[in-house]
Amino acid sequence: MSLLEEIAEQVRACRRCVLAQGRNNAVPGAGASDARIMFVGEAPGQVEDQQGIPFVGPAGKVLDKLLKRAGLTREEVFITNIVKCRPPENRDPRPDEVEACREYLDGQIACIKPRLICTLGRPALQALIDPKASVMKLNGQVIEKEGLTFVPLLHPAAGLHNENMKASITEGFDKLKGILERYT
Ligand code: URA
Ligand code: SF4
């Protein structure tokens, strides 16, 4: 078993935080073990919890379109979340849960060694880059931190209930497309 698969197995058996109690399936992540680009969202939603696969519900449908727009396929990237189990009623993950789950994400990053890590939405941005950072300000920018290169993006689901956000979400992925030509 590869180290990446081993991490996935650990996640499926994990009971490190309270989110283990309400889950049907942990969602370790999916995609290429040698991906050049990693996408890190917030937490599994209802459909993800049912299937054990990230971004397969309504947000995932939007993400698929945005990936295509940036010239990427799901198969060539790796997609995961800052916490691997669904929070009750899709509430934001709590700091202690993010902290408890962090080792798995760090392990995945160490295995995959992506050229770029795209955060999707505020919780991933604040957990990985800066707890005070604004997701609107940093959307589609390149940020170097501790030897890793990040591109913060808005969450694909942000446009589902807010038409005004759609243009900004698309703009971030269009910027990503330009960045990919330079970094990969
Ligand atoms: N939203 C997320 O942040 N992650 C998923 O996996 C699904 C929806
Ligand atoms: Fe373990 Fe992370 Fe699931 Fe919490 S969210 S139980 S730390 S895998």
Side-chain angles (χ1 to χ4, degrees):
M1 206 192 298
S2 74
L3 190 48
L4 194 61
E5 285 162 17
E6 243 171 67
I7 294 170
E9 282 304 303
Q10 286 169 16
V11 164
R12 289 187 194 103
C14 179
R15 308 208 63 89
R16 257 188 220 177
C17 84
V18 296
L19 299 183
Q21 294 170 15
R23 76 176 175 224
N24 291 300
N25 289 290
V27 183
S33 59
D34 61 350
R36 293 168 310 148
I37 331 281
M38 227 168 130
F39 288 86
V40 184
E42 176 178 336
Q46 188 176 18
V47 187
E48 291 77 17
D49 173 70
Q50 283 162 2
Q51 299 189 17
I53 306 167
F55 283 96
V56 284
K61 301 270 175 301
V62 181
L63 179 62
D64 284 341
K65 284 191 194 137
L66 291 163
L67 287 176
K68 196 166 177 197
R69 198 178 162 101
L72 295 166
T73 64
R74 228 179 220 262
E75 292 67 38
E76 71 182 306
V77 303
F78 190 87
I79 304 175
T80 188
N81 288 295
I82 51 172
V83 299
K84 316 300 195 199
C85 304
R86 183 192 181 204
E89 264 90 62
N90 297 342
R91 65 158 169 79
D92 281 6
R94 296 199 194 110
D96 60 312
E97 295 156 356
V98 174
E99 171 71 25
C101 211
R102 182 61 192 254
E103 195 181 322
Y104 300 125
L105 179 60
D106 287 343
Q108 290 170 324
I109 293 171
C111 283
I112 296 166
K113 299 187 185 68
R115 296 292 312 275
L116 288 179
I117 301 171
C118 301
T119 56
L120 298 171
R122 184 179 50 82
L125 165 67
Q126 295 189 341
L128 294 184
I129 304 171
D130 173 358
K132 295 203 180 81
S134 152
V135 59
M136 287 305 279
K137 257 191 222 159
L138 296 183
N139 183 32
Q141 295 195 27
V142 176
I143 296 171
E144 309 275 353
K145 194 190 168 199
E146 290 161 13
L148 299 173
T149 307
F150 292 95
V151 179
L153 295 167
L154 297 173
H155 198 287
L160 290 175
H161 306 291
N162 183 347
E163 278 296 316
N164 299 331
M165 290 290 283
K166 282 190 179 163
S168 303
I169 296 170
T170 304
E171 190 189 319
F173 277 78
D174 285 346
K175 285 187 183 161
L176 172 63
K177 188 170 189 192
I179 295 164
L180 290 176
E181 285 160 16
R182 281 184 279 134
Y183 277 81
T184 57

